[in-house]
Amino acid sequence: MSPLLPPQVAQVLDVIASGDPVRLGVVAPGGYGKTAVLREIARAFEDAGVAATVVDDAHLLPDADLLSLRARVERGEESIVVAYRPWPRSRALAALAESLGRARPAVTLEPLTREQVRAVLPASSRGLVDFVHQQTGGVPRFVRRLAGLSTAEVTPEVVASFRADLEWLDADVQKYLLAAEAGAGLRLDLLGGLPGGDLYAVGDITDVGRATGLVA
């Protein structure tokens, strides 16, 4: 199994191989490897000859689809694995997550440790483990982007690769990310100016920003 994948995924793969049904949620911010986990799980289902529904980015689905998935989970007749970000979290997604959680605790993906970063870097870059880990915060997607560095300096090409991650974000979320980088990420009195002073909206923007995987 890839060193990018957390150990608890191995337990899920063993259950799949045994032929038992699996109903599971996989939750993490963007870039933490949800798609890689789903790829391994889908392959395990295929190898076991088990039909299953594997859904990525469920946080983007309309409520009707989420409620339909929940109903299928509640029936307990099939294997269903759903990956989603912690935000946005509609009532329909929260209900689906609750149903999945009753079947099996969700797999919550974490940043890579220093040792995991070392394991996934090519041999030519392993002298830069500390630098890559510090610059990426251990987020797997960003580790891969820095994996080819030969010196402890982020090149313009690597910086440019982050442009697409930022351009699709809402303007207020972009402002929050800049505020967080400037050290105001926990200062509600400062962040209150982002969406016109509405602190409830600030809370939503903060959650969206953290769910991007771009904070810290």
Side-chain angles (χ1 to χ4, degrees):
M1 191 174 68
S2 167
L4 285 172
L5 300 177
Q8 62 264 42
V9 174
Q11 300 173 2
V12 174
L13 299 181
D14 288 342
V15 174
I16 293 172
S18 73
D20 290 338
V22 172
R23 296 181 295 282
L24 174 72
V26 179
V27 58
Y32 275 56
K34 295 186 297 298
T35 300
V37 168
L38 291 189
R39 191 179 300 121
E40 290 287 337
I41 287 175
R43 184 180 298 116
F45 279 126
E46 183 177 355
D47 291 345
V50 175
T53 298
V54 179
V55 179
D56 201 0
D57 289 334
H59 56 281
L60 300 178
L61 293 178
D63 285 356
D65 290 351
L66 295 170
L67 293 173
S68 175
L69 277 171
R70 187 196 183 199
R72 291 166 60 187
V73 170
E74 291 288 334
R75 286 197 293 270
E77 299 171 353
E78 58 183 310
S79 289
I80 300 177
V81 180
V82 180
Y84 52 93
R85 291 187 182 186
W87 194 267
R89 193 176 180 88
S90 65
R91 290 184 179 179
L93 179 56
L96 172 59
E98 181 183 4
S99 294
L100 289 167
R102 286 200 297 268
R104 176 178 293 273
V107 171
T108 301
L109 305 183
E110 301 290 343
L112 301 181
T113 65
R114 184 182 179 281
E115 290 70 27
Q116 287 174 310
V117 170
R118 174 183 290 279
V120 301
L121 290 182
S124 60
S125 299
R126 286 179 184 163
L128 301 174
V129 170
D130 289 336
F131 177 76
V132 171
H133 188 257
Q134 179 185 36
Q135 292 294 313
T136 62
V139 176
R141 178 190 295 167
F142 305 153
V143 171
R144 287 192 291 269
R145 290 183 186 176
L146 271 64
L149 294 182
S150 56
T151 62
E153 180 178 356
V154 180
T155 64
E157 291 78 14
V158 171
V159 172
S161 72
F162 285 84
R163 184 172 295 118
D165 295 282
L166 296 170
E167 287 181 344
W168 68 271
L169 297 175
D170 179 85
D172 281 330
V173 178
Q174 292 179 1
K175 292 175 184 177
Y176 166 73
L177 293 175
L178 290 172
E181 175 63 20
L186 298 177
R187 291 285 304 277
L188 290 180
D189 56 329
L190 298 178
L191 294 177
L194 293 182
D198 185 343
L199 291 183
Y200 290 103
V202 169
D204 286 347
I205 290 169
T206 300
D207 288 335
V208 173
R210 289 172 177 165
T212 65
L214 292 165
V215 178

